[in-house]
Amino acid sequence: MAEYDDDDFNYSDSGSEVEMDDGMSEDDGIAMEAEDQNGMSEQKDSSLDCIIMTSEQLEKEMKETISEVGNILHVPLGTCRILLHKYKWNMESLMERFYEHPDTMAFLRAAHVVPKNAVTAPTSSTADCDICCNLAELSGLACNHRACTACWRRYLQTKITVDNTSEIECIMNGCELLIEDEKVMSYVVEEPVRASYKRLMINSYVETNRLLRWCPGVDCGRAAKVSHCEPRLVVCTCKSRFCFACGNEWHEPVNCRLLRLWLKKCSDDSETSNWINANTKECPKCLVTIEKDGGCNHMTCKNVACRAEFCWMCLGPWEPHGSSWYSCNRFDDSAAKTARDAQEVSRAALQRYLFYYNRYMGHQHSLRLENKLYATVKAKMEQMQQMAMSWIEVQFLRKAVDVLSECRRTLMYTYAFAYYLQKDNNSIIFEENQKDLEMETEKLSGFLEHELESENLVTLKQKVQDKYRYVEHRRGILLKHCQEGTERDQWRYAE
Ligand SMILES: [Zn+2]
Ligand SMILES: [Zn+2]
Ligand SMILES: [Zn+2]
Ligand SMILES: [Zn+2]
Ligand SMILES: [Zn+2]
Ligand SMILES: [Zn+2]
């Protein structure tokens, strides 16, 4: 049985006191004004029973679970991690299976933690190593498969650093006995390899546990822990926002399953893989090349003789985009209805897909370009503070860009949602909501991008606040309608 001679692997180690992070840290310690009056679902969800854990906290929790199971089942701690891994860290289901099994030894054999067959102990510790054939001091596992220390070390290092696994079988080909952590650590001496093994164990703990998910943020290393696995917004300490159920960026209103289909479709389709992140298009009127350098889709031709105002998405005149006859978001499906042969049908289907894909990519592109606005508003905020406004009084500008980004992201995913939607009364309401959100988002975008400088500082705050509150309100309406449809099972999808 394993000895707990290694500090790193003392599972009952209580460690230092751990402070759980609730993942909703206040922005720079300053509470924002109570702006979120829409009661958006994601705000409600994200604050409920979700915690963000560091890898130290994860390790501590993993060890505690292992100890707990060891105490209850009276099996060596070294086997507990293997058993828990097999049961996806669901302690209840492990207990249940353990106790309902008539034969504990058979249960442990099936889990590959005790040898399949009875073994006779070897007579001498020194013999020819089965792996390298040298005469050496041999050691091994309960299955009595033995090897020299150098062979064990080489084998385990390869498993850890090449195969990247913390669930390692016996060195003997065909023997499925799993090696306990303490045993692994007794052979592996190189510090970087030991550290890798530790990381692999924690990774395996998070990846197999349904209630944990790594934050996808670059170099974040934290994981979210929930009490129920379901699609929900997680806001990490590193500010990443992701869906707990699928790990993608938060994608409301489209659900995880359709998002997966959509992302697959986008990556499979050869027509779209060469969608260049086109920063240039031709003016629909004078054909001069126009460059897009901001997120706003309201374009004005740079040609002074032309000055045509048009929409970057549809290349149509801008004028209707601010009015009730706006239909930039609505796909005209008349071609599909009148298609006479297979070729026309497939062309119409491609046209339809490209319509949604272009808008999806367009908003994503705008979202990236609008990141530059943070620098613009920062300068403006500094200027306003020199005009005797306090730091907190000028935060509305940053908030406006935050809201704009949220709306862009929502709009982006509305096009994935809309692509799968069948036309009915609900989809018509949805398109109306999408249109309103899109119109208002473009207004806010245009204002922040072009009118910030010309606006007088006294009225600026009121204007910006009115605009972002309204657009936020529109977003709330759209998401609420989508959620209600889901709750009532009203959405009809065509896949
Ligand atoms: Zn050997
Ligand atoms: Zn073996
Ligand atoms: Zn994170
Ligand atoms: Zn998801
Ligand atoms: Zn032009
Ligand atoms: Zn348009």
Side-chain angles (χ1 to χ4, degrees):
M1 202 194 115
E3 288 290 333
Y4 295 98
D5 53 355
D6 188 311
D7 277 352
D8 286 352
F9 287 87
N10 182 356
Y11 286 134
S12 51
D13 171 25
S14 62
S16 54
E17 202 45 51
V18 176
E19 291 265 282
M20 295 296 191
D21 203 323
D22 65 5
M24 292 290 288
S25 61
E26 273 177 355
D27 268 346
D28 306 328
I30 304 286
M32 299 294 273
E33 295 166 56
E35 305 279 15
D36 308 304
Q37 71 265 72
N38 305 314
M40 268 184 266
S41 67
E42 58 175 58
Q43 253 113 24
K44 180 182 73 198
D45 286 345
S46 62
S47 56
L48 281 176
D49 65 10
C50 173
I51 55 174
I52 304 296
M53 299 179 78
T54 63
S55 81
E56 291 76 32
Q57 290 167 336
L58 290 163
E59 186 183 350
K60 181 169 182 272
E61 193 184 74
M62 175 180 85
K63 287 178 175 177
E64 283 167 359
T65 311
I66 290 168
S67 298
E68 202 177 333
V69 168
N71 288 337
I72 301 171
L73 300 187
H74 302 292
V75 296
L77 291 186
T79 38
C80 289
R81 192 180 73 84
I82 300 173
L83 291 175
L84 278 161
H85 174 79
K86 189 173 153 83
Y87 286 90
K88 300 191 174 352
W89 294 90
N90 183 333
M91 205 155 91
E92 286 70 37
S93 98
L94 165 61
M95 302 285 185
E96 224 171 88
R97 302 299 291 277
F98 185 87
Y99 286 119
E100 80 190 8
H101 205 286
D103 179 350
T104 303
M105 278 318 277
F107 177 85
L108 295 175
R109 265 200 299 278
H112 303 148
V113 291
V114 300
K116 277 229 166 359
N117 310 306
V119 285
T120 43
T123 46
S124 156
S125 65
T126 306
D128 285 340
C129 169
D130 281 340
I131 311 294
C132 67
C133 304
N134 293 330
L135 183 69
E137 182 92 5
L138 303 185
S139 60
L141 314 176
C143 54
N144 266 333
H145 292 131
R146 301 190 302 163
C148 69
T149 304
C151 283
W152 274 116
R153 188 163 298 152
R154 205 176 314 119
Y155 171 72
L156 292 169
Q157 294 211 357
T158 308
K159 284 287 172 189
I160 295 165
T161 58
V162 181
D163 299 348
N164 287 316
T165 177
S166 59
E167 281 65 47
I168 306 177
E169 290 180 346
C170 172
I171 194 166
M172 192 56 61
N173 231 332
C175 177
E176 293 171 312
L177 189 70
L178 289 162
I179 313 177
E180 296 168 3
D181 300 328
E182 301 78 8
K183 198 84 188 168
V184 172
M185 284 308 203
S186 71
Y187 286 117
V188 175
V189 285
E190 279 180 50
E191 203 38 61
V193 186
R194 295 171 70 87
S196 299
Y197 188 67
K198 216 160 125 177
R199 268 198 303 278
L200 288 170
M201 279 196 293
I202 297 166
N203 187 49
S204 147
Y205 173 60
V206 174
E207 304 246 294
T208 50
N209 194 323
R210 274 174 57 80
L211 304 179
L212 291 170
R213 179 177 289 281
W214 286 120
C215 165
V218 182
D219 293 332
C220 171
R222 297 179 190 86
K225 183 187 174 184
V226 297
S227 53
H228 299 285
C229 177
E230 61 191 356
R232 54 180 295 162
L233 169 68
V234 176
V235 182
C236 183
T237 321
C238 74
K239 297 216 160 65
S240 288
R241 299 157 59 83
F242 59 96
C243 169
F244 185 85
C246 70
N248 285 299
E249 172 183 73
W250 183 237
H251 51 74
E252 208 177 4
V254 67
N255 66 34
C256 303
R257 187 179 61 87
L258 292 177
L259 177 71
R260 196 163 51 239
L261 286 178
W262 174 253
L263 294 175
K264 186 168 183 322
K265 181 162 183 61
C266 297
S267 64
D268 284 356
D269 255 292
S270 54
E271 286 93 344
T272 55
S273 60
N274 49 26
W275 194 92
I276 19 166
N277 240 340
N279 272 322
T280 57
K281 283 186 184 177
E282 282 170 359
C283 164
K285 211 168 152 199
C286 71
L287 303 183
V288 93
T289 301
I290 306 286
E291 192 180 352
K292 190 174 197 278
D293 55 2
C296 173
N297 287 309
H298 177 182
M299 309 305 293
T300 303
C301 178
K302 300 277 188 295
N303 176 0
V304 282
C306 172
R307 302 300 283 167
E309 291 184 46
F310 62 95
C311 165
W312 182 263
M313 294 274 196
C314 65
L315 294 177
W318 183 258
E319 212 195 341
H321 285 74
S323 74
S324 54
W325 28 292
Y326 177 100
S327 64
C328 185
N329 66 322
R330 197 166 298 145
F331 180 67
D332 172 8
D333 57 359
S334 52
K337 282 182 187 145
T338 56
R340 283 157 307 175
D341 56 31
Q343 203 189 350
E344 283 187 17
V345 168
S346 85
R347 192 180 306 132
L350 177 63
Q351 285 305 322
R352 181 175 182 276
Y353 167 60
L354 288 175
F355 177 89
Y356 290 103
Y357 182 76
N358 273 315
R359 278 157 181 76
Y360 170 82
M361 289 302 279
H363 283 299
Q364 189 179 72
H365 189 209
S366 286
L367 183 62
R368 267 204 300 279
L369 293 171
E370 273 158 0
N371 259 327
K372 292 194 297 191
L373 275 179
Y374 280 105
T376 317
V377 299
K378 191 162 175 269
K380 191 77 189 168
M381 282 155 78
E382 277 158 14
Q383 186 198 345
M384 292 175 86
Q385 284 179 79
Q386 280 156 17
M387 312 279 288
M389 280 177 98
S390 72
W391 186 87
I392 198 134
E393 278 174 314
V394 301
Q395 293 308 305
F396 70 94
L397 273 174
R398 206 188 54 173
K399 171 79 182 175
V401 184
D402 287 345
V403 170
L404 177 60
S405 301
E406 270 319 291
C407 291
R408 280 278 180 224
R409 195 169 288 117
T410 302
L411 280 169
M412 180 182 150
Y413 290 113
T414 60
Y415 284 104
F417 180 73
Y419 175 73
Y420 291 107
L421 218 50
Q422 277 185 31
K423 233 182 171 55
D424 59 14
N425 285 341
N426 280 313
S427 79
I428 291 168
I429 298 171
F430 168 77
E431 279 182 341
E432 279 296 308
N433 288 336
Q434 184 188 38
K435 165 188 122 175
D436 288 339
L437 176 60
E438 196 162 64
M439 249 163 62
E440 296 307 322
T441 301
E442 293 303 343
K443 281 185 199 161
L444 177 63
S445 170
F447 187 87
L448 293 174
E449 219 162 83
H450 308 299
E451 288 167 57
L452 221 48
E453 283 315 308
S454 51
E455 191 63 38
N456 123 28
L457 287 188
V458 185
T459 51
L460 181 67
K461 182 166 183 172
Q462 197 54 52
K463 267 202 176 160
V464 169
Q465 279 182 334
D466 286 350
K467 280 188 198 304
Y468 78 64
R469 281 179 183 147
Y470 187 63
V471 71
E472 210 173 26
H473 172 68
R474 296 299 337 170
R475 176 170 176 264
I477 289 174
L478 177 138
L479 292 177
K480 188 157 174 270
H481 176 244
C482 290
Q483 264 156 23
E484 284 171 358
T486 303
E487 279 157 21
R488 294 174 195 156
D489 198 19
Q490 278 171 343
W491 297 115
R492 294 291 158 257
Y493 300 120
E495 292 152 45

